[in-house]
């Protein structure tokens, strides 16, 4: 693949992250002004997508400064992986998602968020209903082929356009104090001071699209080789491997015994 077909940006928020990006080989996405810290990575990604015309043949990604720390990957590793997976098949999206235990042991990324922020699923359902999407988020099953944390994915422009269309709907609702969902979306979470629910919902839009749109062709880097969460779930890696495999098997074949086994493993944790 030509080097200029891999448009992978890393976001710089301050002097330290700027120096890190300059040494990394990633392209710089300048957010030094950090005008809207309440939107975390979404603000600079939004600024880019609002002001650039994307090359239809190129891959785009927008990573936080912690990407290499969480995945162990540099730009050359991404290049090599993309070259490998696209040699024999067409691919639209490539995932580099960390925290495999957080993905494996929950039915989906919305249920995972609910564990740390009670009320998250209802807020997500309320927002999706406003854009005409009635979804039973409590029960949908996602595996490592759909799970994305920290926006650690790269994709062709078609996926980014659909992603941006939906995230902009979320942005508009959250930015409107008169909207009935404004208070829910801007409520603080336990993640850190002034970390709003809207950010964690935005980070789950990629997973939602991959679940809803199986026509997108996905390649997945080995999530189990990346950093795990700091929760006690990391203490049972073999159970995480099995749990993800059971979800894949259930989605492929539909046998209820796979889901029964998944729930038994989860109960044991």
């Amino acid at each position: 693949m030509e080097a200029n077909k891999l448009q992978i940006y890393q976001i710089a928020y301050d002097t330290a992250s700027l120096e890190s990006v300059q040494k990394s080989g990633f392209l710089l996405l300048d957010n030094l002004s950090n005008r809207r810290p309440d939107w975390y990575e979404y603000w600079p990604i939004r600024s880019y997508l609002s002001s650039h015309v994307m090359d239809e043949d190129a891959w785009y990604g927008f990573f936080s400064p912690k990407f290499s720390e969480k995945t162990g990957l540099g730009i050359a590793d991404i290049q090599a992986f993309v070259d490998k997976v696209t040699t024999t098949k067409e691919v639209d999206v490539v995932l580099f998602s960390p925290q495999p235990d957080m993905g494996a042991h929950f039915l989906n990324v919305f249920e995972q968020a609910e564990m740390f922020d009670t009320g998250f699923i209802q807020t997500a359902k309320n927002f999706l209903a406003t854009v005409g999407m009635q979804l039973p988020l409590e029960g949908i099953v996602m595996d490592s082929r759909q799970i994305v944390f920290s926006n650690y994915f790269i994709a062709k422009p078609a996926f980014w356009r659909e992603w941006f269309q939906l995230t902009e709907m979320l942005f508009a609702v959250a930015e409107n104090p008169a909207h009935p969902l404004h208070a829910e979306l801007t409520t603080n979470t336990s993640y850190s001071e002034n970390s709003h629910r809207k950010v964690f919902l935005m980070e789950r839009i990629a997973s939602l699209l991959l679940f809803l749109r199986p026509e997108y062709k996905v390649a997945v880097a080995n999530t189990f080789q990346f950093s795990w969460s700091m929760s006690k779930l990391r203490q049972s890696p073999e159970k995480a491997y099995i749990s993800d495999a059971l979800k894949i098997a259930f989605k492929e074949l539909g046998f209820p015994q796979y889901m029964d086994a998944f729930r038994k493993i989860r109960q044991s944790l």
Side-chain angles (χ1 to χ4, degrees):
M1 179 193 299
E2 299 174 31
N4 63 356
K5 295 301 183 183
L6 202 62
Q7 300 291 306
I8 312 299
Y9 291 83
Q10 198 163 52
I11 301 165
Y13 294 94
D14 50 29
T15 301
S17 56
L18 175 61
E19 292 177 354
S20 176
V21 175
Q22 291 172 334
K23 296 175 182 177
S24 69
F26 290 97
L27 298 173
L28 170 65
L29 185 54
D30 187 342
N31 192 44
L32 295 177
S33 62
N34 204 10
R35 289 176 48 221
R36 292 297 302 273
D38 58 310
W39 278 104
Y40 286 72
E41 284 81 21
Y42 186 64
W43 184 257
I45 296 173
R46 179 178 189 267
S47 298
Y48 182 94
L49 294 177
S50 299
S51 60
H52 289 75
V53 176
M54 291 184 283
D55 178 349
E56 295 301 312
D57 295 322
W59 294 90
Y60 290 83
F62 308 94
F63 297 151
S64 73
K66 294 183 178 180
F67 175 79
S68 293
E69 176 185 336
K70 290 183 177 181
T71 65
L73 302 178
I75 190 67
D77 301 305
I78 296 174
Q79 177 87 58
F81 187 77
V82 172
D83 286 342
K84 176 183 176 182
V85 298
T86 58
T87 298
T88 57
K89 62 181 180 179
E90 182 181 349
V91 178
D92 303 305
V93 185
V94 182
L95 310 185
F96 301 96
S97 191
Q99 300 190 87
D101 48 332
M102 286 287 126
H105 290 305
F106 294 89
L107 284 177
N108 58 67
V109 296
F110 297 95
E111 187 191 54
Q112 182 270 338
E114 180 75 17
M115 181 178 180
F116 299 94
D117 179 19
T118 302
F120 181 89
I121 285 181
Q122 190 58 56
T123 295
K125 290 175 68 173
N126 292 343
F127 163 69
L128 292 173
T130 67
V131 297
M133 301 168 70
Q134 303 284 346
L135 294 172
L137 297 181
E138 301 92 340
I140 64 177
V141 179
M142 294 178 177
D143 57 63
S144 53
R145 298 169 297 179
Q146 299 89 38
I147 291 171
V148 182
F149 289 127
S150 303
N151 296 314
Y152 285 178
F153 70 93
I154 65 173
K156 293 292 185 66
F159 184 84
W160 278 112
R161 281 192 290 269
E162 189 167 5
W163 180 89
F164 192 44
Q165 182 180 25
L166 189 51
T167 56
E168 278 296 271
M169 293 178 184
L170 174 61
F171 182 83
V173 171
E175 290 288 288
N176 181 3
H179 197 284
L181 291 181
H182 173 79
E184 290 183 49
L185 289 169
T186 56
T187 188
N188 282 331
T189 69
S190 60
Y191 178 75
S192 65
E193 186 177 355
N194 296 321
S195 57
H196 295 169
R197 186 175 287 170
K198 64 189 182 187
V199 175
F200 298 94
L201 179 50
M202 182 274 296
E203 287 185 351
R204 282 154 178 78
I205 296 300
S207 293
L208 179 67
L209 287 177
L210 293 175
F211 173 80
L212 293 174
R213 297 286 303 276
E215 60 266 34
Y216 282 119
K217 300 175 180 65
V218 181
V220 185
N222 188 348
T223 180
F224 299 109
Q225 293 182 343
F226 301 151
S227 64
W228 292 54
S229 78
M230 297 307 294
S231 76
K232 67 177 183 179
L233 294 179
R234 66 178 294 154
Q235 298 171 5
S236 304
E238 291 82 8
K239 291 183 178 180
Y241 311 152
I242 295 170
S243 293
D244 187 55
L246 286 168
K247 288 194 291 182
I248 292 172
F250 175 76
K251 291 182 69 176
E252 292 296 321
L253 297 174
F255 298 164
Q257 290 85 356
Y258 291 130
M259 193 49 56
D260 291 342
F262 168 81
R263 291 194 173 97
K264 286 181 180 178
I265 290 175
R266 191 158 75 163
Q267 289 170 1
S268 73
L269 298 169

